Amino acid sequence: NAKNSFNSAVEIIDNEASKSYQQNPPLSNTAKNLLYESISSSNIVLEKYSDSKYVDDAIYYIGRAYFNLGEVYKAEKYFTQIVQNHPNSPYYYESKLWLEYTYFKLNELDFIISNVKQIEDELKTQNYKKNKDLLFLLYNLKGDYYIETNDMDKGFIQYEKALEYVSTKSKKVMIYSKLAFISESKQMYQKSA
């Protein structure tokens, strides 16, 4: 239930983002309710079935839901739990990247790019090329970092790499919308073209 609620919320969020030129459009009430449902269902797993094989899943979905709700400090707590306590989880590398995203949202930029490059190197040695969502997240995060630090050319290169791993049409539209928004706000019309 937690996974289904979360995935439904993300689908709504992606569709809303693909239709908006804003960087972070406000969440609809439906998306918020689904995210809270995901948190609630995940907490049931943690409270009633703490020895279940789904504990790391529950922790991951709570972290992702809080991140999407903008409650970044709470998200950080749950991603840290996965990284520290569940190194064999299928969500391990994704949680490492989401943890770096929380630092990005908290404007703690000092070590993000070196940490992300280390994660990228680990993924290369683990041969993670088939996990498109993970690679999309990695390159999108690098793109966001470089744009935030005003290294536009590197940012655009990373977004273009992210586009190679897009799994849905709405995410592709979201990236192109983001690129258009950045190009216009920074008056980079040639780059945009």
Side-chain angles (χ1 to χ4, degrees):
N1 287 338
K3 182 179 182 179
N4 289 339
S5 295
F6 178 79
N7 287 338
S8 295
V10 168
E11 189 174 321
I12 291 168
I13 293 166
D14 285 350
N15 280 331
E16 289 170 354
S18 70
K19 295 174 186 172
S20 171
Y21 286 102
Q22 298 175 21
Q23 281 289 80
N24 296 308
L27 294 179
S28 68
N29 288 334
T30 305
K32 286 179 189 176
N33 290 338
L34 287 166
L35 291 170
Y36 284 120
E37 278 179 30
S38 180
I39 292 168
S40 178
S41 298
S42 295
N43 277 323
I44 291 170
V45 171
L46 296 179
E47 292 166 9
K48 293 186 177 182
Y49 309 101
S50 61
D51 57 348
S52 164
K53 67 179 184 176
Y54 298 110
V55 167
D56 60 326
D57 297 60
I59 295 168
Y60 170 80
Y61 285 113
I62 292 171
R64 287 288 312 275
Y66 277 131
F67 186 89
N68 281 307
L69 288 164
E71 298 183 40
V72 183
Y73 287 107
K74 288 180 182 178
E76 177 188 18
K77 172 187 166 188
Y78 289 97
F79 294 136
T80 300
Q81 281 182 29
I82 296 266
V83 170
Q84 291 179 348
N85 303 328
H86 301 277
N88 296 321
S89 170
Y91 302 108
Y92 177 75
Y93 284 111
E94 207 169 323
S95 293
K96 285 180 89 169
L97 287 170
W98 281 111
L99 188 57
E100 294 304 319
Y101 243 125
T102 63
Y103 299 141
F104 177 79
K105 292 288 186 183
L106 295 169
N107 206 28
E108 297 176 11
L109 304 177
D110 295 342
F111 301 105
I112 289 176
I113 201 64
S114 61
N115 292 344
V116 171
K117 285 180 180 178
Q118 181 182 355
I119 295 167
E120 184 177 17
D121 290 342
E122 289 174 28
L123 291 174
K124 285 178 183 174
T125 62
Q126 299 281 335
N127 199 16
Y128 263 78
K129 290 183 179 178
K130 293 184 179 178
N131 191 330
K132 288 185 169 192
D133 291 334
L134 189 59
L135 294 172
F136 171 81
L137 178 62
L138 180 128
Y139 293 118
N140 191 55
L141 173 55
K142 286 174 76 175
D144 286 349
Y145 171 82
Y146 285 124
I147 295 301
E148 183 66 24
T149 58
N150 287 314
D151 195 339
M152 300 301 166
D153 288 335
K154 283 185 180 178
F156 275 73
I157 289 168
Q158 297 306 314
Y159 288 140
E160 289 170 6
K161 285 183 181 180
L163 283 166
E164 294 174 26
Y165 299 102
V166 169
S167 58
T168 64
K169 184 178 178 181
S170 61
K171 279 189 179 174
K172 183 178 266 192
V173 172
M174 179 191 70
I175 290 287
Y176 282 123
S177 295
K178 186 188 302 190
L179 289 170
F181 176 82
I182 293 165
S183 296
E184 186 166 338
S185 66
K186 301 288 184 179
Q187 297 181 352
M188 299 174 62
Y189 302 113
Q190 187 65 31
K191 188 73 172 171
S192 179

